[in-house]
Amino acid sequence: MKNILIIEDEISIAELERDYLEINGFHVDIETSGEIGLYKALKQDYHLILLDIMLPEKNGFEICKHIRDVKDIPILLVTAKREDIDKIRGLGLGADDYIVKPFSPSELVARVKAHLSRYERLVGNERITAGIRVRGLKIDKASRQVFMNEKEIVLTNKEFDLLLFLVTHPNHVFSKDHLFERIWGLEAMGDVTTVTVHVRKIREKIEIDPSNPQYIETVWGAGYRFKA
């Protein structure tokens, strides 16, 4: 049984989410305090976290960053705000998806299942064992580790997926739409801005000069290309 943590201060919303998830076979814990929610997220074993942005004591952005620094599990942000800046900020901190209130409980369940399924496929595929090396960049697909000049670089789940896809299709230009559908799936919340955010974060981690990238190139008006 998969364990899910809901960090949400509106108890009626949290209980509705819990009820629908439990009906679908998940074990769900609820925490209304941001501070305590973060503590539980870090200390206990959860497979996915539903995280409200507007929380007392500590907001969802802070919690997301702290969790992502320690754990690589799916994090779905839940908020009443629709502004793009919130979406960009949340995804930039490592969130996997973004859902805006009000939402259909059945839609929420579908997104949870989709992210759990995708995560399991990515981390549990033991058939993928070969490593990839491009100049100073090394990617170990089996362990999902990335090294730059033999120093390990920590990437989020989606950053790794995006980098791996580009590396395994060298010198091929992919549009933002194509990358979004390939990495996040058609059922994911968000838009192609997500791709831009994740490319920027990857460049900050693997490029000597992110403003003059040597690995992931921008092809203006077309998309991105990994330069082999």
Side-chain angles (χ1 to χ4, degrees), residues 23 31 33 36 44 53-56 70 75 90 92 96 119 160 169 183-184 191 205 217-218 227:
I23 289 173
E31 185 48 61
S33 162
I36 300 176
Q44 300 184 32
I53 290 179
M54 302 303 292
L55 291 166
V70 178
I75 301 174
D96 294 278
Y119 181 77
F160 182 90
H169 298 83
I183 304 303
W184 281 266
D191 54 36
K205 296 178 180 180
E217 297 180 317
T218 298
K227 185 179 179 181

Side-chain angles (χ1 to χ4, degrees), residues 106-185:
S106 58
E107 178 186 5
L108 176 66
V109 171
R111 294 190 187 286
V112 166
K113 288 182 176 179
H115 280 283
L116 286 172
S117 176
R118 184 174 295 112
Y119 181 77
E120 288 177 351
R121 290 199 305 271
L122 291 170
V123 302
N125 190 352
E126 298 179 352
R127 294 172 298 172
I128 302 177
T129 57
I132 299 172
R133 185 182 291 273
V134 182
R135 301 186 292 281
L137 178 67
K138 178 184 176 182
I139 301 176
D140 188 322
K141 294 190 287 186
S143 65
R144 293 179 64 81
Q145 290 177 290
V146 177
F147 300 86
M148 176 55 65
N149 298 323
E150 305 305 324
K151 179 181 178 181
E152 185 172 2
I153 305 297
V154 178
L155 300 182
T156 67
N157 190 35
K158 286 295 185 291
E159 288 169 1
F160 182 90
D161 299 339
L162 179 56
L163 176 60
L164 180 61
F165 179 77
L166 290 170
V167 170
T168 52
H169 298 83
N171 302 318
H172 188 107
V173 179
F174 292 98
S175 69
K176 295 178 184 178
D177 286 323
H178 182 96
L179 291 172
F180 181 74
E181 293 177 6
R182 177 65 178 78
I183 304 303
W184 281 266

Side-chain angles (χ1 to χ4, degrees), residues 23-154:
I23 289 173
N24 283 271
F26 297 102
H27 177 271
V28 181
D29 291 335
I30 294 175
E31 185 48 61
T32 58
S33 162
E35 290 281 4
I36 300 176
L38 174 60
Y39 178 82
K40 284 187 175 181
L42 297 179
K43 296 298 181 181
Q44 300 184 32
D45 292 327
Y46 291 102
H47 297 90
L48 181 143
I49 296 176
L50 283 172
L51 175 60
D52 186 41
I53 290 179
M54 302 303 292
L55 291 166
E57 302 169 3
K58 188 181 291 289
N59 66 49
F61 292 128
E62 296 176 272
I63 295 172
C64 179
K65 184 178 185 304
H66 282 298
I67 296 172
R68 186 56 74 218
D69 286 342
V70 178
K71 294 189 174 184
D72 185 19
I73 59 174
I75 301 174
L76 277 63
L77 292 179
V78 180
T79 182
K81 292 188 174 182
R82 295 179 179 273
E83 291 82 355
D84 284 344
I85 187 62
D86 287 323
K87 182 183 301 182
I88 293 170
R89 185 180 178 191
L91 294 171
L93 291 173
D96 294 278
D97 208 343
Y98 189 98
I99 187 166
V100 179
K101 303 173 186 176
F103 51 82
S104 163
S106 58
E107 178 186 5
L108 176 66
V109 171
R111 294 190 187 286
V112 166
K113 288 182 176 179
H115 280 283
L116 286 172
S117 176
R118 184 174 295 112
Y119 181 77
E120 288 177 351
R121 290 199 305 271
L122 291 170
V123 302
N125 190 352
E126 298 179 352
R127 294 172 298 172
I128 302 177
T129 57
I132 299 172
R133 185 182 291 273
V134 182
R135 301 186 292 281
L137 178 67
K138 178 184 176 182
I139 301 176
D140 188 322
K141 294 190 287 186
S143 65
R144 293 179 64 81
Q145 290 177 290
V146 177
F147 300 86
M148 176 55 65
N149 298 323
E150 305 305 324
K151 179 181 178 181
E152 185 172 2
I153 305 297
V154 178

